[in-house]
């Protein structure tokens, strides 16, 4: 045991010295070290080096849809690695996994999305969508159509273009050198969008991008007719409509893709995360059949955009197996049913815990919004609940950006009814403990 304890201490020191963590407080990392050092996962659970088991109530980063420790995905990766681990897709080179995956995506996604450009993740996917939109309008002889409109409270990634499109000001404040021609409108105000388009001139606007459900910005679900109005506005003014399904894709909302809840189809769709359940790095952009045909007709040279790992054979093989598992195990339906149970449980919690202002969600994406009274003490409630829940065996997420105070959840799609109840119970106990410790 003593040797194991020394090993853990060494891991902590190595982490503090050598590992610069993404989206983490550098000062906290240096003072306290890593909050957890995980060594294995199984199903909806993660286990750290001390043997502590926690429910992964966030699917890690909204992405481990089929749960941890799925040997079928490891076998799919190994089989493909032994045959062809990697080869380039530049200069029209191709391979079977990318071809089969592109075909499968065309069958799954909202009509009429038919062609896919592969990336390594969500930020690259969004970046690609902006470049493709601007390139398309150049080919159409409309070079001034280059502005990208996004929504407040949106999150689209951390590469420079994706950051510039992100509607959470804290991300944009991280660097004051942002990409030009990105603009924001209120998140659910279609009138504001149309006014903005007319003020700027539709001849200057390339695309409008939106998450079907805003994820990292606090799980905000659009009103019923919002996206129908967005689709109409984009069509009216000749603006490409891009959906960011990086979080909402592959069953997360109780349908294969979040936009399907609203009965419209985008011109482009970005995806990542759930396509491999996090077992390999893969993302991409799908474009409509019409857009694809126009690019073919108008292009006179190479598409000068691509990543080394675009269409990575092993990642594509893992994605194919992951999609097969989601289909065979009925996980899209399970996300819908378990999501309804989660919302029901959280609404009951709201009645018990008066500090909870609102509950919202769609499928296995949910949020608890806290009241503002405690802010008079200059204390945000959600980070305290996050820590308390973790101590009780549940990983959730605190969202404090843009003046919010929210706890969000997105457990793996394999979760069962009993485990949903356990999540709600831990959250209830955690909120009660924080109330008693800090506000009574």
């Amino acid at each position: 045991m003593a040797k194991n304890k020394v090993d853990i201490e060494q891991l902590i020191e190595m982490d503090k010295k050598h590992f610069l963590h993404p989206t983490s407080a550098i000062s906290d990392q240096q003072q306290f070290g890593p909050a957890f050092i995980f060594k294995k996962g199984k199903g909806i659970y993660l286990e750290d080096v001390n043997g502590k088991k926690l429910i992964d109530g966030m699917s890690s980063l909204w992405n481990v849809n089929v749960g941890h420790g799925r040997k079928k995905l490891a076998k799919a990766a190994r089989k493909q690695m032994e045959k062809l681990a990697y080869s380039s897709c530049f200069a029209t080179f191709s391979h079977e996994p990318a071809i089969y995956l592109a075909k499968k995506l065309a069958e799954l996604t909202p009509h009429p999305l038919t062609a896919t450009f592969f990336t390594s993740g969500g930020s690259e996917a969004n970046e690609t969508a902006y470049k493709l939109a601007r390139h398309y309008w150049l080919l159409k002889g409309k070079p001034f159509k280059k502005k990208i409109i996004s929504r407040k409270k949106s999150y689209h990634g951390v590469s420079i273009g994706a950051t510039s499109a992100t509607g959470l000001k804290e991300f944009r404040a991280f660097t004051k050198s942002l990409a030009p021609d990105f603009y924001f409108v209120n998140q659910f105000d279609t009138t504001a969008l149309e006014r903005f388009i007319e003020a700027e001139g539709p001849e200057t606007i390339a695309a409008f991008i939106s998450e079907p459900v805003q994820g990292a910005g606090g799980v905000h679900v659009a009103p019923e007719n919002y996206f129908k109005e967005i689709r109409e506005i984009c069509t009216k003014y000749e603006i490409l409509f891009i959906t960011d399904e990086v979080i909402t894709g592959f069953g997360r909302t109780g349908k294969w893709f979040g936009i399907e809840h609203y009965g419209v189809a985008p011109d482009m769709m970005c995806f990542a995360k759930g396509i491999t359940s996090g077992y390999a790095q893969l993302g991409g952009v799908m474009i409509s059949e019409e857009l694809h045909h126009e690019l073919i007709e108008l292009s006179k040279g190479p598409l000068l955009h691509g990543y080394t790992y675009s269409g990575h054979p092993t990642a594509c093989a893992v994605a194919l197996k992951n999609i097969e598992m989601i289909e065979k195990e009925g996980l899209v339906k399970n996300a819908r049913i378990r999501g309804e149970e989660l919302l029901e449980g959280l609404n009951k919690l709201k009645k018990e815990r008066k500090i909870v202002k609102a509950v919202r969600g769609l499928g296995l994406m949910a949020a608890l919004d806290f009241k503002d009274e405690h802010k008079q003490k200059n204390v945000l409630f959600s980070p305290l609940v996050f820590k308390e829940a973790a101590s009780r065996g549940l990983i959730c997420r605190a969202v404090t950006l843009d003046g919010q105070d929210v706890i969000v959840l997105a457990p793996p799609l394999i979760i069962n009814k009993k485990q949903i109840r356990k999540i709600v119970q831990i959250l209830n106990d955690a909120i009660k403990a924080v109330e008693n410790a800090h506000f009574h």
Side-chain angles (χ1 to χ4, degrees), residues 114-174:
T114 58
T116 299
F117 184 100
F118 289 110
T119 69
S120 301
S123 291
E124 286 183 1
N126 279 280
E127 202 85 20
T128 297
Y130 313 144
K131 288 181 72 175
L132 285 177
R134 288 165 170 168
H135 178 65
Y136 169 75
W137 291 118
L138 281 173
L139 293 178
K140 293 278 284 183
K142 298 181 179 182
F144 297 108
K145 285 179 78 72
K146 56 186 180 180
K147 295 173 183 174
I148 308 292
I149 306 173
S150 181
R151 299 192 295 160
K152 294 178 180 178
K153 290 188 171 66
S154 66
Y155 178 80
H156 298 294
V158 293
S159 58
I160 195 67
T163 295
S164 301
T166 290
L168 296 162
K169 58 183 181 294
E170 290 90 343
F171 280 94
R172 301 198 307 278
F174 180 77

Side-chain angles (χ1 to χ4, degrees), residues 223-280:
E224 185 176 352
N225 292 319
Y226 175 78
F227 283 111
K228 287 184 178 178
E229 292 174 17
I230 289 293
R231 176 69 273 181
E232 290 169 2
I233 290 168
C234 288
T235 301
K236 175 181 176 181
Y237 292 103
E238 288 191 299
I239 294 168
L240 296 177
F241 175 32
I242 306 169
T243 52
D244 179 346
E245 297 263 9
V246 171
I247 287 175
T248 53
F250 302 96
R252 171 60 55 193
T253 66
K255 290 187 181 288
W256 274 101
F257 297 93
I259 199 64
E260 293 180 83
H261 289 276
Y262 303 99
V264 299
D267 301 298
M268 295 188 195
M269 186 182 81
C270 304
F271 63 84
K273 293 190 184 289
I275 190 171
T276 64
S277 288
Y279 283 71

Side-chain angles (χ1 to χ4, degrees), residues 7 23 68 83 93-94 106 112 181 197 200 209 232 247 250 273 309 330 343 359 381 420:
D7 289 343
T23 316
H68 297 280
K83 185 164 72 170
F93 289 12
S94 198
D181 297 317
I197 292 168
E200 293 290 319
I209 185 165
E232 290 169 2
I247 287 175
F250 302 96
K273 293 190 184 289
Y309 297 123
L343 276 182
V359 169
F381 201 79
I420 289 287

Side-chain angles (χ1 to χ4, degrees), residues 94-104 118 316 320:
S94 198
H95 52 74
E96 290 174 305
I99 295 169
Y100 287 131
L101 180 57
K103 179 179 182 294
K104 183 63 178 178
F118 289 110
C316 290
L320 282 163

Side-chain angles (χ1 to χ4, degrees), residues 324-395:
E324 178 188 300
M325 291 165 65
I326 292 172
E327 288 180 317
K328 287 186 175 180
E329 296 174 20
L331 297 186
V332 179
K333 180 181 178 181
N334 194 62
R336 176 178 59 79
I337 295 170
R338 301 285 91 85
E340 290 169 358
E341 293 168 355
L342 178 59
L343 276 182
E344 182 182 355
L346 293 177
N347 275 306
K348 288 180 180 176
L349 181 156
K350 178 177 177 288
K351 292 178 181 178
E352 291 185 42
R353 308 264 69 87
K354 301 304 180 184
I355 192 70
V356 178
K357 178 171 64 176
V359 169
R360 56 181 178 266
L362 184 64
L364 284 172
M365 295 178 70
L368 286 172
D369 205 341
F370 295 111
K371 293 178 181 177
D372 296 334
E373 290 94 328
H374 54 282
K375 289 183 180 178
Q376 295 171 5
K377 299 182 180 181
N378 295 317
V379 177
L380 289 171
F381 201 79
S382 57
L384 299 173
V385 173
F386 162 78
K387 289 181 181 179
E388 185 64 32
S391 73
R392 294 167 180 266
L394 171 66
I395 298 170

